[in-house]
Amino acid sequence: MTVSAPLRHLLDGYASVPAFVLNPAKDFLAVNDLTEALFAPFARVDNLARMTFLDAAARRFFPRWDSFAESIVAGLRHAQGLDPDDPRLLEVVRSLSDESEVFAALWSSQTVYGKTRDATELEHPDVGRLWLTSQAFDVRGSQGQLLVVYQPEPGSASAEALTLLGALHATSRQSSGR
């Protein structure tokens, strides 16, 4: 599953907020620069479910980890209800069930919901606590793709922290030659 060029341009146009595209299995299909900076504490930015349950950084990064983890599982279950034979989704669920007892327990709880807007609290090691609103949009014409945008309250400390994070990330990329 690939992201169209116009959607990629839209992501890049969100310079002041993290924006990314996920598939139903929670694989990151595309991210903007600020998303790279935001998720830098993780070993790999590849699959949000795997990052949540298998990366040690997750429990520090998501201060309300229990709630976030439950929402990830509920979203996967929602996606499975829409396409029960999605091979990538089945692979992620099987792998996480084998590798994480917590995931397996949450998966067996049968909780299902899709979300379009949610308050998200994050703790970034470089800029501290961030309070963001997560907005999710289905991408028309690209079945299964979900555009997610994390927005701070305008003029808030979180907005200032995201600006600082973006500057730190740009400086880091320049010094490493990327």
Side-chain angles (χ1 to χ4, degrees):
M1 193 178 292
T2 60
V3 172
S4 69
L7 182 54
R8 176 77 248 176
H9 294 305
L10 178 67
L11 283 178
D12 292 339
Y14 286 116
S16 63
V17 296
F20 50 94
V21 177
L22 298 174
N23 69 10
K26 304 291 184 197
D27 291 318
F28 284 90
L29 301 179
V31 301
N32 69 0
D33 286 343
L34 199 48
T35 299
E36 285 181 13
L38 183 65
F39 288 114
F42 290 89
R44 291 186 346 224
V45 179
D46 56 354
N47 179 282
L48 190 55
R50 291 189 60 77
M51 291 162 58
T52 300
F53 288 95
L54 301 180
D55 193 310
R59 290 194 184 252
R60 289 183 306 277
F61 189 78
F62 301 110
R64 299 170 194 243
W65 184 88
D66 291 337
S67 174
F68 191 83
E70 181 182 292
S71 75
I72 290 292
V73 173
L76 289 171
R77 196 164 272 298
H78 178 258
Q80 186 184 45
L82 297 173
D83 187 359
D85 299 319
D86 179 327
R88 176 62 184 147
L89 181 58
L90 293 171
E91 175 188 338
V92 167
V93 168
R94 187 172 25 257
S95 171
L96 285 172
S97 294
D98 290 344
E99 296 178 59
S100 169
E101 290 179 18
V102 176
F103 177 87
L106 286 170
W107 185 256
S108 69
S109 75
Q110 305 289 320
T111 302
V112 179
Y113 59 86
K115 60 182 182 176
T116 57
R117 188 172 138 224
D118 203 7
T120 303
E121 183 180 351
L122 307 173
E123 181 73 31
H124 195 282
D126 294 333
V127 296
R129 189 68 46 110
L130 298 164
W131 287 271
L132 307 170
T133 299
S134 170
Q135 299 264 358
F137 307 91
D138 291 321
V139 178
R140 288 191 176 192
S142 297
Q143 185 175 349
Q145 291 186 6
L146 190 67
L147 169 64
V148 180
V149 180
Y150 283 170
Q151 294 181 288
E153 184 70 32
S156 68
S158 293
E160 291 174 13
L162 281 178
T163 299
L164 175 59
L165 185 60
L168 291 171
H169 183 68
T171 301
S172 171
R173 288 180 73 164
Q174 285 177 341
S175 66
S176 69
R178 293 192 297 160

